[in-house]
Amino acid sequence: MYLKMAERNLRRHILRSTLALLGIIIGVMTISSLGILGSALKHKVLENFEGLADFVLVYPNPEEGYFYFTKRDVDSLKKLRYTVIPISLKTDLVYIRGENKKSYAKIYGIRKDQIRYLNLETQGRLKDTKVYVDSFFARSHDLEVGDRIVLRNTSFRIAGIYNSSFFIISPNSIILSQKTYRRFYGDNYSLLMVYVKDRGEIEKVKREIERIMNKKERKVIVQSMDKILKSIGDVVDKLSLFLMGIGGISLLVAGVGIGNVMLMSTVERTREIGIMKSIGASKRDILMLFLCESLILGVIGSVLGVLLSLILSYLVVHYLLNSYITLEGLVYSLLGFLFGVGISVVASLYPAYKAANLDPVKALKSE
Amino acid sequence: MIELRNVTKTYRVGGEVIYALRNINLKIESGEFVAVMGPSGSGKSTLLNIMGCLDRPDSGEVYIDGMEISHLEEDQLTEIRRDKVGFVFQHFNLIPLLTALENVELPLIFKYRNRLSERERKERALRCLRMAELDERFANHYPNQLSGGQQQRVAIARALANNPPILLCDEPTGSLDSKTGERILKLLKKLNWEGKTVVVVTHDRSVAEHAHRTIYLRDGRIVKQ
């Protein structure tokens, strides 16, 4: 009955209720969509690097005069009994026949049997006579799989095109087999990746590497991706939290709107409240009646807000980010829903309290 | 049934103290039909409000069905008002959003909440409408679809909903034409005959003629009984 009366009261001023509703819808939608988008974005960003979290990266320390590792360095790391993936890097000119011009590119050398660790998602297999090129390089020179490029007067067929990820393999790059690389540029390595399957052991492995390599001087810099990934995640989290905060403010404004509607309603219905008190309504009854009204607004507004945000963020996440809505995002939706309902109820507390405490005699006299 | 001892009630209007009631002593027995008359501003409505626990006296004692109420908490007053008293107003004071039947159900909801099934509640409300001699066809009409007389019958049915022993009527015929007013008055007499204690505040001398007893108020004092 409370609900029935509340519903009819809201219908009585349908325009006013709709506007109040709209405020809640927009607020909840903002919070919920930003939450969903933020976590989808984080997921997407981390997904790109996720494969790297299993590696410890060992760089030569240029401050001590080390720019490359040698075969001996690689061998000494192999004592750890983890897979060591040496990666070589030089910058060189590449001749593109179709355009008849030369262009600089980063040339990586990786062992053919270890290329799978990089998750490059290329189709053709790397051979000593074939290369991979990154999508940026391919695009800027209009190259496709099967095309040829010339390096050091040797022609190579492109076996695959990969997306570079900044952390290990930079954009505008070419990957050769280690053997081919050695033939052109000699036996040097710019980065040693150590594959640690069990992430719990990463810290231990890092300490071991430091012990082996940095005996006399700080020859190497040891990094692991897990920390970097975590800090990227934190940044995205903070960003989406900040955006959600803005959503929260808009919801707060909506709450003020609801409070205003309820307050007007209290004033308009003073006489009605007096009548109800005279026929035996307690303070609690009046309080409930008003809270029910804002609860209806809050629930309907929040449900619609969440639904709209789901549709909206599905479109954005699916078509723009090429990702999917995460469970974490749905938690933010739920949060937005609860916040929407909560704000509506809190905003109407004062009007409801005021209505409940009206003096029945005075209320009955009012017109 | 109702007893007032040395009841005084004042209002403050802009620093000036106005006596609505001065030292009222009054006893209304169970089953009585009492009319309260007097010029406007004589304190009639205040008297009714105090008898109906809507208002509290500044001093003096008020007994409703044997219970002293002037010191009670607001919630307790609400309960007494709900269980012992039915109000009938000049302007009917129905809730426009609710149908005739729902208006009558309202006091039942305030009293029983969910302890009464919806069916039983509707049945009781219908019974009250019948007691108030309103045709059942109008049960689902909204107040603005009813004539003044019909609305007052709904209001009376609502006052009867929780089966209170006392009916307090503030100018119940004031907004009705004389013929309809006469019928409403007959209804009140019938209810009185069936056992309700009825107090009617009125300007209308013909209303007072139906009463067992008439109390005249002037300037907050009883001048004649």
Side-chain angles (χ1 to χ4, degrees):
Chain A
M1 189 75 164
Y2 289 142
L3 282 175
K4 204 196 274 175
M5 277 189 77
E7 184 209 317
R8 286 188 203 173
N9 268 318
L10 291 173
R11 275 174 198 268
R12 178 155 62 170
H13 297 291
I14 190 76
L15 184 68
R16 197 198 289 170
S17 309
T18 313
L19 288 176
L21 205 61
L22 208 63
I24 292 290
I25 292 176
I26 292 172
V28 170
M29 196 175 78
T30 318
I31 291 195
S32 168
S33 355
L34 288 175
I36 293 175
L37 289 181
S39 63
L41 192 69
K42 179 177 146 196
H43 183 80
K44 178 76 182 168
V45 170
L46 292 186
E47 188 187 65
N48 280 339
F49 304 128
E50 190 58 24
L52 300 177
D54 301 333
F55 295 101
V56 174
L57 307 181
V58 185
Y59 298 96
N61 186 1
E63 285 178 19
E64 298 284 344
Y66 292 95
F67 296 95
Y68 294 104
F69 292 122
T70 60
K71 189 91 176 53
R72 260 182 59 201
D73 296 324
V74 178
D75 289 342
S76 59
L77 262 195
K78 280 185 180 162
K79 277 187 276 180
L80 283 171
R81 273 179 284 138
Y82 286 98
T83 311
V84 178
I85 304 151
I87 294 177
S88 314
L89 172 62
K90 273 266 156 58
T91 300
D92 202 356
L93 279 169
V94 181
Y95 176 66
I96 293 118
R97 261 200 199 131
E99 295 181 335
N100 192 23
K101 72 172 188 194
K102 286 187 172 180
S103 172
Y104 275 105
K106 285 179 169 158
I107 316 293
Y108 288 93
I110 301 172
R111 276 170 54 181
K112 291 194 289 281
D113 59 330
Q114 288 185 335
I115 194 99
R116 64 192 163 89
Y117 285 106
L118 294 180
N119 287 322
L120 294 175
E121 292 170 11
T122 45
Q123 274 136 13
R125 292 192 49 184
L126 188 68
K127 291 182 179 159
D128 292 338
T129 54
K130 289 186 177 177
V131 296
Y132 287 157
V133 300
D134 98 301
S135 53
F136 177 80
F137 188 84
R139 229 178 301 127
S140 46
H141 300 295
D142 209 13
L143 293 170
E144 281 173 24
V145 173
D147 289 350
R148 286 182 168 275
I149 57 166
V150 177
L151 198 61
R152 297 259 162 148
N153 290 323
T154 313
S155 172
F156 292 94
R157 193 180 285 280
I158 296 171
I161 294 172
Y162 57 89
N163 286 313
S164 48
S165 62
F166 283 100
F167 274 90
I168 309 294
I169 309 292
S170 321
N172 201 39
S173 58
I174 290 172
I175 295 179
L176 305 180
S177 75
Q178 193 89 67
K179 202 170 155 193
T180 312
Y181 179 92
R182 211 158 42 221
R183 188 150 60 88
F184 291 158
Y185 308 105
D187 215 357
N188 52 62
Y189 307 94
S190 311
L191 164 67
L192 304 179
M193 290 168 71
V194 180
Y195 179 62
V196 183
K197 203 171 183 182
D198 181 359
R199 285 188 199 176
E201 291 182 8
I202 281 184
E203 284 305 313
K204 195 189 89 190
V205 173
K206 279 167 77 177
R207 277 197 305 275
E208 288 284 297
I209 295 172
E210 296 258 9
R211 195 176 58 78
I212 295 170
M213 305 293 284
N214 293 346
K215 261 182 206 156
K216 293 176 212 150
E217 48 187 351
R218 208 160 165 254
K219 189 176 176 184
V220 302
I221 297 166
V222 184
Q223 275 185 358
S224 58
M225 290 303 285
D226 55 345
K227 291 235 169 89
I228 298 173
L229 286 181
K230 194 175 172 299
S231 63
I232 293 174
D234 284 352
V235 167
V236 177
D237 272 349
K238 269 178 198 148
L239 190 71
S240 58
L241 218 61
F242 170 74
L243 289 174
M244 275 169 69
I246 293 176
I249 290 173
S250 77
L251 198 56
L252 224 58
V253 173
V256 173
I258 286 205
N260 189 24
V261 166
M262 288 297 154
L263 212 56
M264 271 165 80
S265 191
T266 319
V267 174
E268 281 172 359
R269 273 146 68 190
T270 301
R271 187 183 171 82
E272 218 172 285
I273 294 161
I275 297 167
M276 289 204 264
K277 284 204 158 185
S278 73
I279 60 169
S282 63
K283 276 185 185 182
R284 209 194 109 201
D285 290 317
I286 308 287
L287 202 71
M288 287 297 289
L289 203 60
F290 273 78
L291 289 184
C292 270
E293 282 183 33
S294 58
L295 199 67
I296 290 178
L297 285 180
V299 169
I300 293 180
S302 302
V303 165
L304 288 179
V306 166
L307 285 182
L308 282 175
S309 79
L310 284 180
I311 295 171
L312 193 80
S313 31
Y314 174 77
L315 293 177
V316 173
V317 168
H318 192 76
Y319 292 106
L320 245 59
L321 284 181
N322 242 323
S323 181
Y324 41 87
I325 292 177
T326 60
L327 197 67
E328 195 189 350
L330 293 182
V331 170
Y332 286 123
S333 270
L334 185 71
L335 217 69
F337 174 82
L338 294 179
F339 198 40
V341 174
I343 284 268
S344 316
V345 171
V346 168
S348 65
L349 276 180
Y350 172 69
Y353 171 84
K354 207 179 141 179
N357 284 290
L358 279 176
D359 175 2
V361 175
K362 279 183 199 147
L364 273 171
K365 273 186 197 146
S366 83
E367 274 309 318
Chain B
M1 180 56 57
I2 305 170
E3 190 174 353
L4 278 68
R5 287 187 200 156
N6 294 318
V7 166
T8 298
K9 178 77 185 175
T10 58
Y11 290 109
R12 234 169 255 277
V13 181
E16 197 183 347
V17 177
I18 293 171
Y19 279 86
L21 296 175
R22 292 176 207 247
N23 271 326
I24 299 282
N25 284 291
L26 175 67
K27 202 167 178 178
I28 295 171
E29 299 294 342
S30 176
E32 263 196 297
F33 192 125
V34 177
V36 179
M37 291 192 75
S40 47
S42 59
K44 306 186 297 283
S45 293
T46 307
L47 185 68
L48 206 69
N49 287 339
I50 285 177
M51 289 198 270
C53 304
L54 276 176
D55 216 345
R56 258 186 285 224
D58 294 342
S59 63
E61 291 154 5
V62 179
Y63 294 86
I64 305 289
D65 210 7
M67 179 149 6
E68 213 283 302
I69 62 140
S70 54
H71 67 277
L72 291 182
E73 295 292 321
E74 202 181 315
D75 284 346
Q76 293 168 300
L77 281 180
T78 302
E79 263 176 48
I80 293 183
R81 184 159 68 226
R82 192 184 68 197
D83 298 343
K84 305 281 185 194
V85 181
F87 271 101
V88 178
F89 302 94
Q90 177 180 0
H91 298 292
F92 325 132
N93 281 351
L94 298 175
I95 308 284
L97 285 173
L98 302 178
T99 64
L101 190 68
E102 287 167 340
N103 262 289
V104 182
E105 281 180 70
L106 206 51
L108 292 169
I109 290 169
F110 292 146
K111 177 162 184 179
Y112 295 101
R113 300 185 193 283
N114 295 325
R115 289 183 305 243
L116 212 58
S117 73
E118 194 174 325
R119 227 188 81 198
E120 199 174 342
R121 194 171 69 215
K122 290 214 182 295
E123 254 166 39
R124 277 207 202 182
L126 265 177
R127 215 179 308 146
C128 292
L129 281 176
R130 255 179 255 130
M131 278 166 78
E133 294 167 354
L134 184 83
D135 200 310
E136 270 178 48
R137 277 178 306 160
F138 298 112
N140 292 318
H141 283 49
Y142 284 91
N144 60 7
Q145 296 168 316
L146 297 173
S147 72
Q150 288 167 333
Q151 285 188 57
Q152 195 60 299
R153 285 177 193 281
V154 176
I156 290 170
R158 181 178 67 184
L160 295 172
N162 282 328
N163 196 22
I166 303 165
L167 283 184
L168 300 177
C169 314
D170 196 351
E171 305 271 9
T173 59
S175 304
L176 303 171
D177 63 69
S178 57
K179 217 171 149 189
T180 317
E182 192 67 29
R183 287 205 194 108
I184 292 293
L185 217 54
K186 271 204 178 122
L187 171 62
L188 290 176
K189 275 205 86 169
K190 186 196 86 174
L191 292 170
N192 170 245
W193 188 76
E194 285 169 2
K196 303 285 181 203
T197 306
V198 179
V199 180
V200 179
V201 163
T202 184
H203 274 104
D204 190 347
R205 201 162 289 280
S206 67
V207 173
E209 281 168 13
H210 290 275
H212 300 148
R213 183 151 71 100
T214 303
I215 295 163
Y216 293 91
L217 278 181
R218 177 168 293 162
D219 299 330
R221 291 179 212 273
I222 296 177
V223 289
K224 196 168 102 186
Q225 287 209 31

